Amino acid sequence: MMDRGAAQSFFRRIARGWRNVREAGTVQLALTAFLLCVALFIARYSWVLPDGSSPTPLTSEAERAFYDLRAYYSADLVEEDKRVVLVVYTDQTLIKARKRSPLDRGLLAKTLRTLDAMEPKAIGIDILFDQPQDEDEELIAALRGMKTPVAVAYAATATNPDDIEWEQQQYLDQFIARLKGSKARPASIRLDNTFGATRLWPDISKGLPPLLGRVMLAEAGEPATAFAGIKNKPAYERLEMRRFIDKHGLTAYTMNPHFPVNTLQLMRAAVAAQQIGVFKPYVEAMYACMWERALKMDDPAVFRQALLDAGLPADQLLELITTDAVKGGLMANTEAAVAAGAFGSPSFLVGTELFFGKDRLRDVEEEVLRQAGGTATKA
């Protein structure tokens, strides 16, 4: 409790403060109140005005500068990812094309054909085709003729109400629909340029295609690494892995030092193995090569030798994975998995019920028994 002397001192300060307020005068009080309101306004709307779209004069520029400065000095420095190449149209490119905005889609079609000849793993286009242009037929023909999987930017009015109008949405949907059956598929992006730069990752909204980066990774057979910068997550995953190994007696398991690897040829060969009736021995052999023998399975020579060691028809499988039928089959499988809700491996679909992760095997077993009309004993 506050003693009597402290209480008296407190109330004397209150009285003195109130006396100072009365002696300040109307003009000084009004100026103080005005400056306080300005400070609160700047604190709340330093980026953008209350309408949500107009940048706040002066302060928004300062905020942007300080934001970039903080990001520059606080963000972790990482090496450039050599797998990713940005194809950028410079001012010189646009000058030679004699068309600045919107981008000449005939030029884009030519670029896509050139890139396709270089045999990349995947191509992503972050340009929305939401308005008609004279070169649309040429671009659609180029996209439909691509041998390389292409992720085409898609956005919806539901998540971008300030940037896409109804007419734009209709044309974008029609454009995407004309790519059906090709290796071009939609991928979600989010338009957010309020602060002069897109700094927000798009939300993963139900009913929209997967994000552009994830589509490219999936098509290229590259894993999407999550929690890479979280200190305790990898350590716990190793602990959980060890528990799983001990529980199931997986004595031959060894961590593959080459992981993660590009699994594109492995997945295509799995489709080919299904076609010629050797799917089960193929899967068993490839998992053993990856997680028992610790081979570098994205090396073509290693992959071929692994097929031979397993007694599988190596030459036939390697020939089949280059065919459009196998490539299209893998794309169809991927699209079906995404449509069913899958987002990673291992995923298990029991009827319409989806389960993800090896730690859900017991749940999978119980669901199989439940759907079969049996019962499962819970641990």
Side-chain angles (χ1 to χ4, degrees):
M1 293 180 62
M2 185 182 297
D3 60 31
R4 185 174 181 180
Q8 289 176 342
S9 176
F10 173 76
F11 286 115
R12 279 198 298 270
R13 291 193 185 94
I14 294 294
R16 188 182 306 116
W18 177 243
R19 185 168 59 252
N20 292 337
V21 169
R22 287 187 301 172
E23 293 174 354
T26 304
V27 175
Q28 188 173 353
L29 287 176
L31 181 60
T32 301
F34 173 75
L35 292 176
L36 179 61
C37 290
V38 170
L40 291 173
F41 181 87
I42 292 175
R44 174 61 181 85
Y45 298 107
S46 58
W47 279 106
V48 64
L49 292 174
D51 65 2
S53 60
S54 304
T56 305
L58 299 179
T59 58
S60 64
E61 295 293 333
E63 283 284 8
R64 262 200 304 274
F66 282 117
Y67 184 101
D68 293 338
L69 193 64
R70 290 196 305 271
Y72 179 81
Y73 284 105
S74 62
D76 294 332
L77 295 178
V78 296
E79 294 183 1
E80 178 184 353
D81 193 332
K82 301 298 184 181
R83 300 172 301 173
V84 180
V85 176
L86 295 180
V87 180
V88 182
Y89 291 96
T90 65
D91 283 340
Q92 293 301 316
T93 307
L94 300 177
I95 290 171
K96 291 180 180 180
R98 297 185 178 182
K99 186 176 181 181
R100 177 169 292 274
S101 181
L103 180 67
D104 188 320
R105 292 179 185 172
L107 176 61
L108 180 57
K110 181 179 179 181
T111 303
L112 286 171
R113 288 192 290 266
T114 301
L115 292 174
D116 196 30
M118 297 178 180
E119 299 185 349
K121 295 179 181 177
I123 297 173
I125 304 175
D126 65 348
I127 302 171
L128 286 178
F129 304 119
D130 57 348
Q131 297 181 27
Q133 287 189 33
D134 294 338
E135 309 90 4
D136 282 354
E137 294 303 321
E138 182 181 357
L139 177 59
I140 289 173
L143 286 168
R144 293 193 61 84
M146 295 288 288
K147 296 180 180 179
T148 304
V150 182
V152 181
Y154 183 87
T157 53
T159 51
N160 299 272
D162 297 328
D163 300 289
I164 300 180
E165 298 181 358
W166 185 84
E167 292 83 0
Q168 292 173 282
Q169 180 76 69
Q170 296 304 303
Y171 187 80
L172 178 59
D173 289 340
Q174 293 170 12
F175 188 96
I176 295 295
R178 294 187 63 184
L179 302 178
K180 188 175 182 180
S182 70
K183 292 192 175 181
R185 56 180 296 195
S188 290
I189 64 171
R190 177 178 172 184
L191 307 177
D192 193 330
N193 199 40
T194 303
F195 307 141
T198 299
R199 292 191 171 97
L200 300 177
W201 288 107
D203 299 326
I204 302 177
S205 302
K206 186 176 181 180
L208 291 179
L211 302 183
L212 181 68
R214 290 186 177 275
V215 171
M216 293 182 67
L217 285 170
E219 297 290 4
E222 297 282 351
T225 304
F227 304 104
I230 300 178
K231 179 180 179 181
N232 292 330
K233 177 66 177 180
Y236 178 79
E237 287 184 338
R238 289 192 293 270
L239 173 62
E240 194 274 334
M241 176 71 76
R242 177 51 53 191
R243 289 170 176 168
F244 185 87
I245 291 169
D246 293 342
K247 178 180 179 180
H248 296 280
L250 305 177
T251 56
Y253 169 81
T254 182
M255 181 60 194
N256 193 320
H258 307 294
F259 180 80
V261 300
N262 182 350
T263 60
L264 183 58
Q265 66 178 354
L266 284 164
M267 293 188 295
R268 286 178 176 172
V271 175
Q274 284 180 310
Q275 293 181 357
I276 62 175
V278 294
F279 181 68
K280 184 176 180 180
Y282 171 83
V283 170
E284 292 179 351
M286 294 305 102
Y287 269 97
C289 289
M290 187 71 192
W291 300 114
E292 293 180 1
R293 298 173 62 188
L295 300 180
K296 192 176 188 306
M297 294 302 290
D298 56 357
D299 184 316
V302 173
F303 179 54
R304 184 177 186 278
Q305 188 59 50
L307 294 173
L308 293 173
D309 292 345
L312 294 167
D315 292 335
Q316 184 180 6
L317 288 170
L318 292 174
E319 182 178 355
L320 283 172
I321 66 175
T322 65
T323 64
D324 290 339
V326 166
K327 294 178 181 179
L330 178 58
M331 288 185 64
N333 289 347
T334 303
E335 291 172 356
V338 172
F343 56 89
S345 177
S347 293
F348 308 94
L349 195 64
V350 184
T352 58
E353 295 296 319
L354 179 70
F355 300 88
F356 172 74
K358 65 184 185 304
D359 52 338
R360 295 291 182 268
L361 287 174
R362 183 59 181 270
D363 297 334
V364 172
E365 179 184 355
E366 291 177 356
E367 183 62 22
V368 169
L369 291 173
R370 186 190 69 80
Q371 292 189 20
T375 58
T377 303
K378 294 185 178 294

